[in-house]
Amino acid sequence: DAGVIQSPRHEVTEMGQEVTLRCKPISGHNSLFWYRQTMMRGLELLIYFNNNVPIDDSGMPEDRFSAKMPNASFSTLKIQPSEPRDSAVYFCASSPTVGRGSGNTIYFGEGSWLTVV
Amino acid sequence: RKEVEQDPGPFNVPEGATVAFNCTYSNSASQSFFWYRQDCRKEPKLLMSVYSSGNEDGRFTAQLNRASQYISLLIRDSKLSDSATYLCVVLLSSGSARQLTFGSGTQLTVLP
């Protein structure tokens, strides 16, 4: 079975450019999460969706960040304009239905490694 | 105080040793607990859930103490392949809202 699929795997961009990260969750999973990981701050939840609806976006750093989930099989995280401090690994993760036993396990994609120069 | 705190590490142990990691959480209403493993430059992967009665999976034993808000992971007969960062994870759910908080991780290196 395909896991969570993210693209691009690696991106190097110049400061001020727009960056779009993409994610395809595991089929049938109702929850989708975007995390950012850096050495200094560890894993931080940016936003999560349940049934395509944003539930908690309190972790989104600022207005330069936006996330969408137009359907159950696709989500994007956009940074515009990008800054060097946005350099990090961005993980997308998904999990089955909230509240069920198996729904508490989340599965991560391989991450998008972003470098802003 | 961080919501989830782990041993700072790093732990460097010889092959075959037993090593234990600790984790504390601040929210007493937390409902589910997990240990994830993250290899260098890879994504975190579920190692095991932590049940109230404690649970074992091969060489790995996880325990939960709700009264002390404390979780532990014990690795027996450690292997070189156990070298990784171990993340303590705590879940708090309320209706459709879910708060999944990761600890900062404890790095383990098993030496030959």
Side-chain angles (χ1 to χ4, degrees), chain A residues 94-106:
Chain A
S94 70
S95 72
T97 306
V98 173
R100 307 281 173 83
S102 62
N104 292 327
T105 301
I106 68 170

Side-chain angles (χ1 to χ4, degrees), chain A residues 7-49:
Chain A
S7 65
R9 290 292 314 281
H10 299 273
E11 178 149 348
V12 180
T13 191
E14 291 185 342
M15 183 172 63
Q17 296 298 305
E18 177 179 293
V19 173
T20 299
L21 308 178
R22 299 173 178 80
C23 176
K24 177 179 168 53
I26 294 172
S27 177
H29 282 192
N30 295 85
S31 296
L32 182 140
F33 307 81
W34 281 102
Y35 284 89
R36 177 172 68 178
Q37 187 174 37
T38 61
M39 288 291 291
M40 292 295 293
R41 301 174 69 91
L43 258 175
E44 302 173 281
L45 177 66
L46 300 177
I47 185 170
Y48 89 87
F49 296 84

Side-chain angles (χ1 to χ4, degrees), chain A residues 63-84:
Chain A
D63 290 346
R64 297 185 298 106
F65 285 70
S66 63
K68 294 182 179 179
M69 191 166 186
N71 58 62
S73 60
F74 184 67
S75 176
T76 58
L77 177 68
K78 189 173 290 187
I79 309 172
Q80 167 63 19
S82 57
E83 297 182 2

Side-chain angles (χ1 to χ4, degrees), chain A residues 10 31 33 35 37 43 45 48 50 55 91 95-99 103-110 113, chain B residues 32 34 36 38 40-46 49 87 91 93 95-104:
Chain A
H10 299 273
S31 296
F33 307 81
Y35 284 89
Q37 187 174 37
L43 258 175
L45 177 66
Y48 89 87
N50 192 41
I55 302 298
F91 287 108
S95 72
T97 306
V98 173
N104 292 327
T105 301
I106 68 170
Y107 301 85
F108 285 81
E110 293 183 312
W113 297 72
Chain B
S32 301
F34 311 88
Y36 273 69
Q38 186 173 22
C40 187
R41 301 184 69 80
K42 297 287 190 180
E43 74 275 22
K45 292 183 179 179
L46 178 67
S49 300
L87 302 162
L91 172 69
S93 295
S96 62
R98 178 193 299 193
Q99 183 177 341
L100 197 68
T101 305
F102 283 75
S104 56

Side-chain angles (χ1 to χ4, degrees), chain B residues 3-100:
Chain B
E3 292 185 48
V4 179
E5 293 202 61
Q6 294 188 236
D7 283 346
F11 285 70
N12 298 315
V13 302
E15 205 172 358
T18 295
V19 61
F21 304 140
N22 301 319
C23 172
T24 56
Y25 58 96
S26 60
N27 192 329
S28 60
S30 298
Q31 297 153 315
S32 301
F33 309 89
F34 311 88
W35 284 101
Y36 273 69
R37 169 193 169 129
Q38 186 173 22
D39 292 292
C40 187
R41 301 184 69 80
K42 297 287 190 180
E43 74 275 22
K45 292 183 179 179
L46 178 67
L47 177 66
M48 59 195 303
S49 300
V50 186
Y51 303 121
S52 297
S53 55
N55 49 298
E56 188 174 304
D57 182 3
R59 298 181 293 106
F60 298 83
T61 300
Q63 291 194 316
L64 168 64
N65 184 323
R66 285 189 183 270
S68 301
Q69 296 179 204
Y70 169 96
I71 307 156
S72 66
L73 176 68
L74 183 77
I75 305 175
R76 291 182 301 279
D77 187 25
S78 54
K79 311 292 185 189
L80 297 177
S81 57
D82 294 334
S83 298
T85 296
Y86 291 83
L87 302 162
C88 173
V89 186
V90 173
L91 172 69
L92 179 64
S93 295
S94 176
S96 62
R98 178 193 299 193
Q99 183 177 341
L100 197 68

